[in-house]
Amino acid sequence: MTQHHPAERIVVLTGAGISRESGLETFRDADGLWSRHNIADVCTPEGFRRDPMLVDRFYNGRRAELASVQPNAAHLALAELERAAHDGRWNGELLIVTQNIDDLHERAGSRNVLHMHGELRRVRCTSCGATPEWLGDCLPDTPCPACHRPTLRPDVVWFGEVPLHMDRIETALAGCDRFVTIGTSGTVYPAAGFVAQVRDHAETVDINLDPPQVPTLFDRTLIGPATRMVPQWVIELLGA
Ligand code: BV8
């Protein structure tokens, strides 16, 4: 029985820049989240132990904001590429690895998505491990719906914590033919180290408003807003 090898396996790594034009802030841009919030206070386990109310309010605010935004043309173009793989218009496989905790990829229709830094619309119980979907506010005394103990935290990966799905991500990186980064500054590891990891066996492409910090890591850079550059790249791929 002849093995059907897909023509192309693509891993796309997305960051906050892909959701910027939907109205969600990035972290490091001038008016970004880190210009108003202290990383050590709101994005570390130590910060949560010190002041859980401050951290819960930070994520409650972002969760409320998420309800007011929609996927943009960049999210929709990636969902279209995945659909083209399913209905045979494109002979390939697409995996989206996102650092984003928003659900705009899924709302755009993407299914093959790994949230390596967690999800805003989930909380995690530190007593029983339950990770229920959560759309509203969560406070330090909010009881876990499974074990009823007041030990819920945002289901996100904070600095110093191990990212999620690393096994599946490492396997996909090892087997990809093309690696594409979209809207990420390449400053947070291990995500920032993926491009160097795949350079020996995959074509590397960066899509961003600005040139990458280390241009030599990329075979190709597409400079411009994600809502323009990502649909262009997908059309080119489907046209090829
Ligand atoms: C870990 C979740 C061990 C919560 C986040 C090696 C060297 C140095 C340090 C380290 C290292 N290894 C580990 C570390 C420590 C640390 C780290 O990297 N520190 C940095 C600051 C130096 N890493 C960790 O602690 C990680 N854990 O390493 O565990 C381990 C490792 C491997 C395997 C097993 C165990 C955990 C880090 C996760 C932290 N949590 N988020 C939340 O969201 O609140 S990180 C958070 O910040 C995001 O998830 C994202 O990852 C990062 C932000 O980066 P971007 O998404 O790129 O956003 P940014 O604002 O920076 O840039 C936006 C870009 O978009 C810009 O380039 C801009 O030009 C562009 N843009 C803007 N608008 C547009 C656009 N592009 C196109 N179109 C537009 N319209």
Side-chain angles (χ1 to χ4, degrees), residues 16 21 27-28 59 62 99 117 157 160-161 184-185 189 208 226:
E21 295 163 271
F27 293 81
R28 284 172 182 70
Y59 287 99
R62 292 172 66 188
Q99 300 167 81
H117 292 163
V157 176
E161 296 184 323
T184 184
S185 59
Y189 289 79
N208 195 301

Side-chain angles (χ1 to χ4, degrees), residues 71-217:
N72 62 48
H75 300 106
L76 294 166
L78 292 177
E80 171 60 14
L81 182 58
E82 185 182 315
R83 254 194 310 282
H86 283 151
D87 61 22
R89 282 175 292 132
W90 174 56
N91 188 8
E93 278 172 32
L94 172 67
L95 171 67
I96 298 173
V97 176
T98 187
Q99 300 167 81
N100 301 342
I101 61 176
D102 67 54
D103 62 345
L104 297 180
H105 283 301
E106 288 85 354
R107 277 202 262 157
S110 290
R111 290 293 162 269
N112 209 12
V113 182
L114 294 176
H115 287 265
M116 70 180 294
H117 292 163
E119 298 175 70
L120 193 48
R121 286 189 157 175
R122 274 187 196 290
V123 293
R124 184 181 338 137
C125 177
T126 55
S127 303
C128 73
T131 55
E133 188 185 25
W134 204 271
L135 303 182
D137 285 357
C138 181
L139 296 171
D141 59 359
T142 301
C144 166
C147 73
H148 312 300
R149 278 172 277 198
T151 51
L152 294 175
R153 57 161 280 178
D155 189 17
V156 299
V157 176
W158 287 322
F159 287 95
E161 296 184 323
V162 179
L164 305 172
H165 315 297
M166 285 306 291
D167 305 354
R168 289 182 59 190
I169 293 171
E170 294 293 353
T171 304
L173 291 172
C176 71
D177 307 295
R178 201 182 302 225
F179 178 74
V180 181
T181 54
I182 304 174
T184 184
S185 59
T187 48
V188 172
Y189 289 79
F194 293 166
V195 63
Q197 246 177 272
V198 302
R199 263 191 68 61
D200 62 345
H201 61 269
E203 188 212 10
T204 56
V205 180
D206 184 50
I207 302 178
N208 195 301
L209 276 180
D210 301 331
Q213 293 191 31
V214 190
T216 51
L217 283 172

